[in-house]
Amino acid sequence: MDQLLKEIASNFWFEWSQDAKILFSDFNPQLWTLCNRNPYRFLAYRAENPLEYEKRFAELVTDPEYLARFKKVETEWKNYIHPTTTYVKEHYPEFQDKTVAYFSMEYGIETLKNYSGGLGILSGDHIRGASDLGLKFVAVGLFYLQGYYEQEVSLEGEMRPTYDSIVPTWGTVRQFFPLESVKSPGTMNELIIEVPIDDRSVKVKAWRARVGRAELLLLDTNLKENAVHDRHISRRLYASEKHHSEERKRRFEQEMILGIGGIRILQGAGYQPSVYHLNEGHAALAILEIMHTEMRKNNINFHDAMAQTGKRIGFTSHTPVPEGNERFDEALVRYHLMPYLEQFLPKEDQEIIFNCARNRINEFDMTKLSLLLAGGFRNGVSKLHGEVCRHMWAYAWGNQYDHRVDEVPIGSITNGVHVAYWQAPAVQKLLEDYGGKHQAEQIPDEKLWQTHCYRKERLIVKVRERAAYHLLRLGVKPEQVQKQAQSWLDPDAFMIGFARRFAGYKRVTWFLDDTEKLFSFLESSHRKYGKPIQILFAGKPHPDNYQGREQIRYIYHLSGELKKRTEERDFKAQIFFIESYDIDLARRLVSGVDIWLNNPIRPLEASGTSGMKAGMNGVLNVSIPDGWAVEGIQTGENGWLFGKGEQESSTEDRNELFHLFENTILPMYFERPNHLSYSPRWLAMMKHSIRTITEQFSIERMLIEYVEKMYLPAVRVESQTVAH
């Protein structure tokens, strides 16, 4: 039994196995919470207190319920890690022994906290999905000792980003996380590679994480052999510096480590990828090192290397907004990159690189570089986004696609989410009991409503915990916090959720902008139905995004103004901001609110995935027709689309949204025929949402598309190259 717990704690598979997590939490729920639900650290504490552990262990081995769960987890774990077959083996036998190398700047691994938003969450789901399908998959990223920032907000709504190391100064990585140092093949020597950056060489090591059957390599520059500046290259995700020029310099250094260093680590560790999949332009420089390797290995020139390897490199663009398409001053790039390029490219070929990367305003554009040098499948992350990409990037190929934009070689694969990770265990259990996801409509209304009410109560508990911590940290007395806590959220309220990264195009406070109309709506709804409406916000802006910070302050201000109005006019409603948005809170929100609101400026929401997670939990989407919503939301059946999403139509769209709430959504939600405690029509839409969203937007469907459109064609190109 002890050996199994150690095995599970050493693999991030536990993050999507509810029963596995319960095995640990049942030992000591308080300690489990203090360890941030990290079973590896939990077992380390146990080793430090063996007597206490042995007593508790003796109690559990005599508990039939615990033993039954243990046997269930043991079977699931062994069948997962050592399967008799996999989807890839059965459907793509030519691909089962081929390695996919996947590059991303961030990964949504909850325990490691090395993610900031949608890109990282999607990348984490991509690894989990690859593991499920049986892909031979290795992902590459950076090891951020301080991760992304922690969010602290004052009583006035002033946000302050803080950074705290995920490993205390007195400890080591291995004491806190199940990460193993990557070794040189056949030795016990730690693999160290070097990346030339301007006039110096930066040493890099890598940590290996097991994510189910897949692997994640995290590159680390925090080595004593490096200068202090270089040790800090991988310290923070999207590091915020005092000066813009310093921030740009640090970011480019990170991307040199990710791209060039990532390929060198793969080679040094003995990996032989057949396919390379780059996510956003952050990893564009990996292409140069792939070409460099091919030139050295086969004694060929740069042009031949491009012809031989380009079609094995796929590229995915995740956003059309400028902030997500990395661009640098060309002088900065030349200063940092030229010593590297001079090692293997003549002057004229060096200029090809800069010509490929140079955009319309003469910046070094990592997305443009990736699009032109990655000769495999290129894609956007929804059908609409693919269309946007073709128009946006047609110029990269010069005049080749003038008047033929539809032929620009950028396709689309709509994002998906890892169902086992994001669908609440209680919802999964209902589906299991009533025939699976295709039979969601067979779930009895009462059982689904009970499950939803339970999820809402769990959300309220989490919000109260976060809010209490927030106030205590700000010096509010415990008795005052206890008194206030009872007024935070009502399980009988109609809850609207809006939680995502605070970027300008997402228009976080758009629904609140007509304050008088909003307050009148909230008041009249309470008087009509006798239940309050509560609007929940959560999210983080980039630390240098002062517009995003101002939005948080505005939410706090409006929350206070609404509180005054409710007291003056004797009605109930709340606007609530929850600080420190993370995976744990996201899981509660997407399964606990009633409506998931999405109102970006169209077509800037490339895909979005939070609405998918909400939909497969029975939370109904209300969205501008952008990103995935265009494909997935069927108005009046599993959610609602509204408005045009244009800046010019803002007032018209907002009026349409209020009309939709007042005349369709709220009347349906609050109707209670035959003295029922729920609305049968609402439950029917919840079931339809669970079935359709789970079927259409799973990570499994997405990965199968990547296999067929990007990975398999690349493998076949490799086979043809070898044959010749």
Side-chain angles (χ1 to χ4, degrees):
M1 182 178 286
D2 199 45
Q3 180 59 34
L4 180 74
L5 294 177
K6 290 179 181 177
E7 287 180 22
I8 292 174
S10 297
N11 190 308
F12 290 99
W13 172 83
F14 73 82
E15 287 198 353
W16 69 94
S17 172
Q18 179 69 8
D19 283 321
K21 287 186 279 190
I22 292 174
L23 287 183
F24 293 96
S25 64
D26 276 356
F27 264 92
N28 187 324
Q30 291 75 30
L31 182 58
W32 176 248
T33 301
L34 289 172
C35 291
N36 292 316
R37 302 175 302 282
N38 175 354
Y40 187 83
R41 186 58 187 156
F42 182 88
L43 291 183
Y45 273 115
R46 181 213 66 184
E48 294 164 9
N49 300 275
L51 189 59
E52 182 180 332
Y53 164 73
E54 293 297 340
K55 289 179 180 178
R56 181 58 180 149
F57 189 76
E59 293 173 0
L60 291 173
V61 295
T62 58
D63 180 346
E65 185 177 337
Y66 186 86
L67 290 176
R69 175 171 280 116
F70 179 88
K71 287 295 182 184
K72 180 185 177 186
V73 172
E74 182 180 37
T75 300
E76 290 176 353
W77 166 253
K78 289 181 177 179
N79 289 342
Y80 189 90
I81 296 299
H82 305 291
T84 55
T85 189
T86 66
Y87 186 92
V88 168
K89 186 176 182 179
E90 290 182 1
H91 294 84
Y92 311 107
E94 66 184 292
F95 192 49
Q96 61 178 319
D97 295 321
K98 304 296 185 179
T99 299
V100 177
Y102 180 94
F103 286 72
S104 179
M105 197 73 167
E106 52 179 293
Y107 290 92
I109 307 296
E110 182 182 10
T111 313
L112 293 175
K113 298 183 178 180
N114 59 342
Y115 60 91
S116 71
L119 174 66
I121 299 301
L122 189 279
S123 298
D125 278 357
H126 202 117
I127 303 177
R128 290 182 277 269
S131 171
D132 290 348
L133 260 62
L135 285 170
K136 195 173 179 183
F137 195 86
V138 55
V140 181
L142 299 183
F143 180 72
Y144 303 108
L145 192 62
Q146 294 186 348
Y148 201 44
Y149 72 89
E150 292 295 325
Q151 185 182 55
E152 294 185 359
V153 184
S154 71
L155 293 173
E156 294 74 34
E158 185 72 35
M159 191 194 89
R160 183 171 72 94
T162 63
Y163 291 90
D164 190 19
S165 176
I166 60 174
V167 178
T169 53
W170 52 265
T172 65
V173 171
R174 284 287 294 165
Q175 285 178 282
F176 285 81
F177 299 104
L179 303 177
E180 57 192 54
S181 182
V182 175
K183 304 291 196 298
S184 296
T187 76
M188 293 303 294
N189 300 325
E190 192 171 71
L191 175 63
I192 305 290
I193 59 95
E194 296 187 14
V195 176
I197 299 180
D198 55 64
D199 60 353
R200 66 197 195 279
S201 186
V202 179
K203 291 180 169 57
V204 185
K205 67 169 289 182
W207 299 98
R208 180 186 286 111
R210 308 284 180 180
V211 186
R213 296 187 291 257
E215 298 181 9
L216 170 60
L217 305 184
L218 297 171
L219 279 56
D220 189 358
T221 64
N222 186 26
L223 304 176
K224 63 180 183 298
E225 296 88 348
N226 286 330
V228 173
H229 175 91
D230 294 337
R231 294 184 71 167
H232 289 174
I233 289 176
S234 62
R235 182 173 57 162
R236 294 177 180 173
L237 171 60
Y238 305 140
S240 174
E241 305 288 345
K242 291 182 179 179
H243 302 290
H244 179 72
S245 60
E246 287 300 309
E247 188 275 335
R248 292 284 78 199
K249 176 182 176 182
R250 176 70 81 199
R251 182 74 68 86
F252 192 72
E253 290 171 338
Q254 288 185 331
E255 296 185 6
M256 289 189 71
I257 298 298
L258 175 64
I260 299 168
I263 295 298
R264 292 185 174 185
I265 283 287
L266 287 172
Q267 294 168 350
Y271 293 92
Q272 296 181 318
S274 298
V275 190
Y276 298 90
H277 183 177
L278 312 184
N279 285 274
E280 290 195 344
H282 304 299
L285 301 182
I287 303 175
L288 304 185
E289 183 61 15
I290 294 168
M291 304 296 181
H292 182 198
T293 302
E294 195 71 17
M295 292 168 65
R296 186 175 61 246
K297 177 181 173 184
N298 297 314
N299 195 27
I300 57 178
N301 63 32
F302 179 67
H303 299 274
D304 289 340
M306 286 178 64
Q308 290 187 19
T309 64
K311 292 188 181 301
R312 292 168 49 206
I313 304 170
F315 174 72
T316 300
S317 169
H318 288 267
T319 179
V321 300
E323 293 81 3
N325 291 282
E326 200 75 274
R327 300 157 298 165
F328 296 94
D329 179 80
E330 188 171 307
L332 180 149
V333 175
R334 285 184 180 273
Y335 178 75
H336 283 77
L337 194 61
M338 286 304 289
Y340 165 73
L341 294 178
E342 288 169 352
Q343 293 179 2
F344 66 101
L345 289 180
K347 185 71 175 176
E348 58 272 20
D349 288 343
Q350 294 171 22
E351 289 309 310
I352 290 176
I353 302 301
F354 288 95
N355 290 336
C356 285
R358 192 174 294 118
N359 63 18
R360 285 167 165 163
I361 54 175
N362 295 321
E363 294 171 316
F364 191 95
D365 194 310
M366 303 288 269
T367 300
K368 184 170 177 280
L369 179 67
S370 301
L371 286 169
L372 292 181
L373 295 188
F377 186 73
R378 313 168 183 90
N379 67 286
V381 289
S382 70
K383 291 178 181 177
L384 177 58
H385 182 227
E387 181 181 333
V388 169
C389 283
R390 287 188 287 277
H391 283 82
M392 181 175 177
W393 294 106
Y395 86 92
W397 285 268
N399 299 324
Q400 185 175 350
Y401 296 104
D402 284 359
H403 313 298
R404 297 185 296 124
V405 173
D406 288 346
E407 297 178 22
V408 172
I410 303 176
S412 68
I413 295 176
T414 303
N415 281 343
V417 301
H418 193 265
V419 178
Y421 199 82
W422 292 104
Q423 193 172 59
V427 177
Q428 293 181 45
K429 181 67 167 60
L430 278 181
L431 291 172
E432 290 172 11
D433 291 346
Y434 292 94
K437 62 186 178 184
H438 305 300
Q439 301 297 320
E441 278 88 354
Q442 302 305 313
I443 300 172
D445 286 356
E446 186 173 351
K447 286 187 176 294
L448 181 56
W449 186 245
Q450 287 174 349
T451 297
H452 181 63
C453 291
Y454 168 74
R455 295 306 310 167
K456 185 179 282 191
E457 288 168 358
R458 296 300 300 157
L459 168 62
I460 291 173
V461 168
K462 176 59 66 176
V463 172
R464 288 176 175 173
E465 288 175 355
R466 293 281 179 103
Y469 173 75
H470 173 210
L471 293 180
L472 289 170
R473 193 191 68 243
L474 294 174
V476 179
K477 294 180 179 179
E479 53 270 25
Q480 291 177 289
V481 173
Q482 184 181 19
K483 184 178 179 181
Q484 289 185 46
Q486 301 310 309
S487 66
W488 295 332
L489 306 185
D490 181 345
D492 292 327
F494 178 79
M495 288 189 185
I496 301 171
F498 188 104
R500 45 185 53 84
R501 188 168 51 85
F502 276 32
Y505 73 92
K506 293 179 183 287
R507 299 194 295 183
V508 175
T509 58
W510 175 83
F511 184 46
L512 313 179
D513 284 348
D514 189 336
T515 306
E516 194 52 45
K517 191 176 187 69
L518 173 68
F519 285 6
S520 296
F521 161 69
L522 296 174
E523 180 178 352
S524 62
S525 298
H526 182 254
R527 299 201 188 285
K528 184 174 183 179
Y529 300 109
K531 304 292 183 184
I533 293 177
Q534 296 171 334
I535 308 171
L536 279 63
F537 288 94
K540 294 179 178 179
H542 184 280
D544 292 337
N545 178 1
Y546 292 98
Q547 180 189 11
R549 293 188 181 202
E550 189 58 40
Q551 288 172 329
I552 294 173
R553 191 183 296 112
Y554 180 64
I555 292 169
Y556 267 73
H557 167 73
L558 216 58
S559 177
E561 292 299 305
L562 177 60
K563 189 173 187 296
K564 292 177 187 175
R565 177 74 71 95
T566 59
E567 291 169 352
E568 291 169 359
R569 298 181 62 85
D570 192 28
F571 71 96
K572 291 183 178 180
Q574 279 184 309
I575 297 172
F576 212 95
F577 180 84
I578 314 158
E579 71 174 13
S580 292
Y581 186 44
D582 58 11
I583 286 175
D584 181 38
L585 179 58
R587 281 171 162 161
R588 301 292 182 99
L589 284 164
V590 297
S591 63
V593 297
D594 298 299
I595 285 291
W596 198 253
L597 182 61
N598 184 42
N599 44 248
I601 298 172
R602 177 186 162 104
L604 300 183
E605 181 84 327
S607 173
T609 58
S610 63
M612 300 175 189
K613 297 157 192 164
M616 61 180 54
N617 280 293
V619 173
L620 302 184
N621 280 275
V622 176
S623 178
I624 289 288
D626 198 11
W628 80 276
V630 179
E631 302 168 48
I633 298 178
Q634 304 152 15
T635 294
E637 296 183 27
N638 66 357
W640 292 270
L641 295 174
F642 74 94
K644 300 175 183 177
E646 301 167 356
Q647 287 180 306
E648 297 77 12
S649 66
S650 181
T651 300
E652 179 186 341
D653 290 352
R654 191 182 298 106
N655 289 339
E656 183 180 337
L657 178 58
F658 278 114
H659 185 271
L660 182 62
F661 273 124
E662 291 170 335
N663 296 282
T664 302
I665 295 175
L666 291 179
M668 183 191 298
Y669 181 85
F670 284 113
E671 69 180 11
R672 298 291 187 267
N674 304 318
H675 305 291
L676 292 171
S677 61
Y678 52 82
S679 164
R681 287 202 298 152
W682 191 269
L683 268 295
M685 287 189 68
M686 286 180 66
K687 294 175 195 177
H688 194 61
S689 175
I690 292 171
R691 179 176 64 79
T692 56
I693 305 302
T694 306
E695 288 176 342
Q696 191 176 352
F697 296 100
S698 71
I699 202 73
E700 179 183 18
R701 184 273 309 156
M702 186 194 86
L703 259 296
I704 290 171
E705 284 198 59
Y706 273 109
V707 169
E708 295 182 348
K709 293 181 179 180
M710 183 184 288
Y711 302 161
L712 264 181
V715 165
R716 288 166 182 159
V717 166
E718 180 194 37
S719 299
Q720 292 169 3
T721 303
V722 171
H724 288 92

mmCIF file of all heavy atoms in Angstrom, residues 157-182:
data_model
loop_
_atom_site.group_PDB
_atom_site.id
_atom_site.type_symbol
_atom_site.label_atom_id
_atom_site.label_comp_id
_atom_site.label_asym_id
_atom_site.label_seq_id
_atom_site.Cartn_x
_atom_site.Cartn_y
_atom_site.Cartn_z
ATOM 1 N N GLY A 157 -9.499 47.917 -3.594
ATOM 2 C CA GLY A 157 -9.389 47.329 -4.914
ATOM 3 C C GLY A 157 -8.058 47.555 -5.590
ATOM 4 O O GLY A 157 -7.906 47.287 -6.787
ATOM 5 N N GLU A 158 -7.067 48.012 -4.854
ATOM 6 C CA GLU A 158 -5.735 48.227 -5.423
ATOM 7 C C GLU A 158 -4.998 46.896 -5.450
ATOM 8 O O GLU A 158 -4.788 46.271 -4.407
ATOM 9 C CB GLU A 158 -4.961 49.233 -4.576
ATOM 10 C CG GLU A 158 -3.611 49.618 -5.130
ATOM 11 C CD GLU A 158 -3.718 50.511 -6.354
ATOM 12 O OE1 GLU A 158 -4.659 51.343 -6.404
ATOM 13 O OE2 GLU A 158 -2.870 50.370 -7.247
ATOM 14 N N MET A 159 -4.600 46.442 -6.642
ATOM 15 C CA MET A 159 -3.926 45.155 -6.772
ATOM 16 C C MET A 159 -2.418 45.295 -6.628
ATOM 17 O O MET A 159 -1.817 46.214 -7.181
ATOM 18 C CB MET A 159 -4.239 44.515 -8.125
ATOM 19 C CG MET A 159 -3.783 43.063 -8.205
ATOM 20 S SD MET A 159 -3.755 42.395 -9.889
ATOM 21 C CE MET A 159 -2.088 42.818 -10.407
ATOM 22 N N ARG A 160 -1.843 44.369 -5.882
ATOM 23 C CA ARG A 160 -0.388 44.330 -5.723
ATOM 24 C C ARG A 160 0.095 42.917 -6.038
ATOM 25 O O ARG A 160 -0.285 41.962 -5.350
ATOM 26 C CB ARG A 160 0.002 44.706 -4.296
ATOM 27 C CG ARG A 160 1.517 44.770 -4.069
ATOM 28 C CD ARG A 160 1.824 45.353 -2.702
ATOM 29 N NE ARG A 160 1.501 44.427 -1.638
ATOM 30 C CZ ARG A 160 2.377 43.582 -1.079
ATOM 31 N NH1 ARG A 160 3.626 43.559 -1.511
ATOM 32 N NH2 ARG A 160 2.016 42.784 -0.106
ATOM 33 N N PRO A 161 0.898 42.748 -7.110
ATOM 34 C CA PRO A 161 1.444 41.416 -7.393
ATOM 35 C C PRO A 161 2.592 41.094 -6.438
ATOM 36 O O PRO A 161 3.438 41.944 -6.153
ATOM 37 C CB PRO A 161 1.946 41.541 -8.836
ATOM 38 C CG PRO A 161 2.208 42.992 -9.028
ATOM 39 C CD PRO A 161 1.269 43.740 -8.121
ATOM 40 N N THR A 162 2.601 39.899 -5.915
ATOM 41 C CA THR A 162 3.701 39.459 -5.047
ATOM 42 C C THR A 162 4.254 38.142 -5.585
ATOM 43 O O THR A 162 3.532 37.363 -6.212
ATOM 44 C CB THR A 162 3.235 39.261 -3.593
ATOM 45 O OG1 THR A 162 2.262 38.215 -3.540
ATOM 46 C CG2 THR A 162 2.621 40.537 -3.042
ATOM 47 N N TYR A 163 5.517 37.913 -5.330
ATOM 48 C CA TYR A 163 6.170 36.692 -5.812
ATOM 49 C C TYR A 163 6.727 35.921 -4.624
ATOM 50 O O TYR A 163 7.364 36.484 -3.745
ATOM 51 C CB TYR A 163 7.293 37.033 -6.788
ATOM 52 C CG TYR A 163 6.801 37.592 -8.101
ATOM 53 C CD1 TYR A 163 6.632 38.969 -8.263
ATOM 54 C CD2 TYR A 163 6.487 36.755 -9.166
ATOM 55 C CE1 TYR A 163 6.171 39.491 -9.462
ATOM 56 C CE2 TYR A 163 6.026 37.268 -10.368
ATOM 57 C CZ TYR A 163 5.871 38.635 -10.511
ATOM 58 O OH TYR A 163 5.412 39.152 -11.690
ATOM 59 N N ASP A 164 6.465 34.638 -4.631
ATOM 60 C CA ASP A 164 6.955 33.781 -3.562
ATOM 61 C C ASP A 164 7.482 32.500 -4.189
ATOM 62 O O ASP A 164 6.818 31.900 -5.041
ATOM 63 C CB ASP A 164 5.829 33.465 -2.572
ATOM 64 C CG ASP A 164 6.337 32.779 -1.325
ATOM 65 O OD1 ASP A 164 7.548 32.880 -1.062
ATOM 66 O OD2 ASP A 164 5.530 32.138 -0.625
ATOM 67 N N SER A 165 8.655 32.094 -3.803
ATOM 68 C CA SER A 165 9.261 30.902 -4.384
ATOM 69 C C SER A 165 8.443 29.657 -4.053
ATOM 70 O O SER A 165 7.972 29.485 -2.924
ATOM 71 C CB SER A 165 10.687 30.735 -3.860
ATOM 72 O OG SER A 165 11.253 29.532 -4.335
ATOM 73 N N ILE A 166 8.258 28.773 -5.045
ATOM 74 C CA ILE A 166 7.535 27.528 -4.788
ATOM 75 C C ILE A 166 8.409 26.552 -4.008
ATOM 76 O O ILE A 166 7.914 25.544 -3.498
ATOM 77 C CB ILE A 166 7.036 26.869 -6.093
ATOM 78 C CG1 ILE A 166 8.202 26.524 -7.032
ATOM 79 C CG2 ILE A 166 6.027 27.772 -6.792
ATOM 80 C CD1 ILE A 166 7.792 25.742 -8.269
ATOM 81 N N VAL A 167 9.713 26.872 -3.921
ATOM 82 C CA VAL A 167 10.634 26.090 -3.094
ATOM 83 C C VAL A 167 11.296 27.051 -2.117
ATOM 84 O O VAL A 167 11.967 28.000 -2.532
ATOM 85 C CB VAL A 167 11.717 25.402 -3.949
ATOM 86 C CG1 VAL A 167 12.684 24.627 -3.050
ATOM 87 C CG2 VAL A 167 11.091 24.474 -4.977
ATOM 88 N N PRO A 168 11.107 26.877 -0.800
ATOM 89 C CA PRO A 168 11.736 27.777 0.175
ATOM 90 C C PRO A 168 13.256 27.794 0.036
ATOM 91 O O PRO A 168 13.865 26.836 -0.453
ATOM 92 C CB PRO A 168 11.321 27.172 1.528
ATOM 93 C CG PRO A 168 10.115 26.345 1.232
ATOM 94 C CD PRO A 168 10.293 25.831 -0.158
ATOM 95 N N THR A 169 13.858 28.878 0.477
ATOM 96 C CA THR A 169 15.315 29.026 0.346
ATOM 97 C C THR A 169 16.070 27.934 1.101
ATOM 98 O O THR A 169 17.193 27.595 0.731
ATOM 99 C CB THR A 169 15.756 30.401 0.874
ATOM 100 O OG1 THR A 169 15.244 30.580 2.206
ATOM 101 C CG2 THR A 169 15.221 31.512 -0.012
ATOM 102 N N TRP A 170 15.436 27.374 2.135
ATOM 103 C CA TRP A 170 16.120 26.349 2.915
ATOM 104 C C TRP A 170 15.955 24.949 2.318
ATOM 105 O O TRP A 170 16.577 23.986 2.788
ATOM 106 C CB TRP A 170 15.604 26.317 4.355
ATOM 107 C CG TRP A 170 14.100 26.208 4.467
ATOM 108 C CD1 TRP A 170 13.215 27.224 4.624
ATOM 109 C CD2 TRP A 170 13.318 25.009 4.408
ATOM 110 N NE1 TRP A 170 11.919 26.755 4.667
ATOM 111 C CE2 TRP A 170 11.957 25.394 4.541
ATOM 112 C CE3 TRP A 170 13.611 23.650 4.264
ATOM 113 C CZ2 TRP A 170 10.914 24.469 4.527
ATOM 114 C CZ3 TRP A 170 12.569 22.733 4.251
ATOM 115 C CH2 TRP A 170 11.240 23.143 4.387
ATOM 116 N N GLY A 171 15.118 24.825 1.292
ATOM 117 C CA GLY A 171 14.824 23.506 0.754
ATOM 118 C C GLY A 171 15.365 23.296 -0.646
ATOM 119 O O GLY A 171 16.017 24.159 -1.231
ATOM 120 N N THR A 172 15.111 22.105 -1.182
ATOM 121 C CA THR A 172 15.497 21.756 -2.546
ATOM 122 C C THR A 172 14.249 21.386 -3.328
ATOM 123 O O THR A 172 13.196 21.069 -2.756
ATOM 124 C CB THR A 172 16.467 20.568 -2.561
ATOM 125 O OG1 THR A 172 15.781 19.407 -2.065
ATOM 126 C CG2 THR A 172 17.695 20.845 -1.705
ATOM 127 N N VAL A 173 14.378 21.417 -4.648
ATOM 128 C CA VAL A 173 13.244 21.073 -5.505
ATOM 129 C C VAL A 173 12.729 19.679 -5.177
ATOM 130 O O VAL A 173 11.518 19.448 -5.073
ATOM 131 C CB VAL A 173 13.649 21.172 -6.991
ATOM 132 C CG1 VAL A 173 12.554 20.616 -7.894
ATOM 133 C CG2 VAL A 173 13.960 22.617 -7.363
ATOM 134 N N ARG A 174 13.633 18.734 -5.000
ATOM 135 C CA ARG A 174 13.233 17.340 -4.753
ATOM 136 C C ARG A 174 12.525 17.148 -3.422
ATOM 137 O O ARG A 174 11.826 16.156 -3.228
ATOM 138 C CB ARG A 174 14.476 16.434 -4.814
ATOM 139 C CG ARG A 174 14.976 16.162 -6.207
ATOM 140 C CD ARG A 174 14.066 15.213 -6.963
ATOM 141 N NE ARG A 174 14.047 13.876 -6.380
ATOM 142 C CZ ARG A 174 13.150 12.955 -6.665
ATOM 143 N NH1 ARG A 174 12.161 13.219 -7.493
ATOM 144 N NH2 ARG A 174 13.204 11.761 -6.112
ATOM 145 N N GLN A 175 12.685 18.067 -2.507
ATOM 146 C CA GLN A 175 11.965 17.960 -1.233
ATOM 147 C C GLN A 175 10.494 18.324 -1.389
ATOM 148 O O GLN A 175 9.680 17.916 -0.567
ATOM 149 C CB GLN A 175 12.611 18.889 -0.199
ATOM 150 C CG GLN A 175 13.932 18.386 0.363
ATOM 151 C CD GLN A 175 14.509 19.391 1.342
ATOM 152 O OE1 GLN A 175 15.080 20.405 0.950
ATOM 153 N NE2 GLN A 175 14.371 19.120 2.621
ATOM 154 N N PHE A 176 10.168 19.071 -2.435
ATOM 155 C CA PHE A 176 8.818 19.605 -2.548
ATOM 156 C C PHE A 176 8.025 19.096 -3.748
ATOM 157 O O PHE A 176 6.793 19.122 -3.721
ATOM 158 C CB PHE A 176 8.875 21.143 -2.596
ATOM 159 C CG PHE A 176 9.164 21.763 -1.264
ATOM 160 C CD1 PHE A 176 10.461 21.843 -0.788
ATOM 161 C CD2 PHE A 176 8.136 22.235 -0.467
ATOM 162 C CE1 PHE A 176 10.734 22.386 0.460
ATOM 163 C CE2 PHE A 176 8.385 22.783 0.776
ATOM 164 C CZ PHE A 176 9.688 22.861 1.249
ATOM 165 N N PHE A 177 8.724 18.629 -4.769
ATOM 166 C CA PHE A 177 8.012 18.233 -5.982
ATOM 167 C C PHE A 177 8.588 16.939 -6.561
ATOM 168 O O PHE A 177 9.794 16.689 -6.449
ATOM 169 C CB PHE A 177 8.100 19.342 -7.043
ATOM 170 C CG PHE A 177 7.488 20.631 -6.596
ATOM 171 C CD1 PHE A 177 8.294 21.687 -6.197
ATOM 172 C CD2 PHE A 177 6.105 20.789 -6.539
ATOM 173 C CE1 PHE A 177 7.738 22.875 -5.765
ATOM 174 C CE2 PHE A 177 5.547 21.971 -6.099
ATOM 175 C CZ PHE A 177 6.353 23.014 -5.710
ATOM 176 N N PRO A 178 7.743 16.143 -7.195
ATOM 177 C CA PRO A 178 8.208 14.882 -7.793
ATOM 178 C C PRO A 178 8.885 15.124 -9.139
ATOM 179 O O PRO A 178 8.433 14.643 -10.186
ATOM 180 C CB PRO A 178 6.915 14.081 -7.945
ATOM 181 C CG PRO A 178 5.863 15.123 -8.181
ATOM 182 C CD PRO A 178 6.273 16.292 -7.310
ATOM 183 N N LEU A 179 9.962 15.892 -9.102
ATOM 184 C CA LEU A 179 10.719 16.200 -10.309
ATOM 185 C C LEU A 179 12.087 15.547 -10.212
ATOM 186 O O LEU A 179 12.747 15.637 -9.182
ATOM 187 C CB LEU A 179 10.882 17.715 -10.475
ATOM 188 C CG LEU A 179 9.599 18.551 -10.526
ATOM 189 C CD1 LEU A 179 9.940 20.033 -10.612
ATOM 190 C CD2 LEU A 179 8.727 18.136 -11.693
ATOM 191 N N GLU A 180 12.509 14.911 -11.277
ATOM 192 C CA GLU A 180 13.830 14.271 -11.283
ATOM 193 C C GLU A 180 14.748 15.027 -12.233
ATOM 194 O O GLU A 180 14.327 15.508 -13.292
ATOM 195 C CB GLU A 180 13.714 12.807 -11.713
ATOM 196 C CG GLU A 180 13.080 12.614 -13.067
ATOM 197 C CD GLU A 180 12.706 11.170 -13.338
ATOM 198 O OE1 GLU A 180 11.983 10.576 -12.524
ATOM 199 O OE2 GLU A 180 13.135 10.657 -14.388
ATOM 200 N N SER A 181 15.983 15.159 -11.845
ATOM 201 C CA SER A 181 16.965 15.834 -12.675
ATOM 202 C C SER A 181 17.276 14.972 -13.899
ATOM 203 O O SER A 181 17.536 13.773 -13.776
ATOM 204 C CB SER A 181 18.241 16.083 -11.869
ATOM 205 O OG SER A 181 19.181 16.778 -12.631
ATOM 206 N N VAL A 182 17.204 15.575 -15.089
ATOM 207 C CA VAL A 182 17.481 14.830 -16.317
ATOM 208 C C VAL A 182 18.971 14.511 -16.384
ATOM 209 O O VAL A 182 19.822 15.383 -16.179
ATOM 210 C CB VAL A 182 17.043 15.640 -17.555
ATOM 211 C CG1 VAL A 182 17.441 14.919 -18.845
ATOM 212 C CG2 VAL A 182 15.536 15.867 -17.526
#
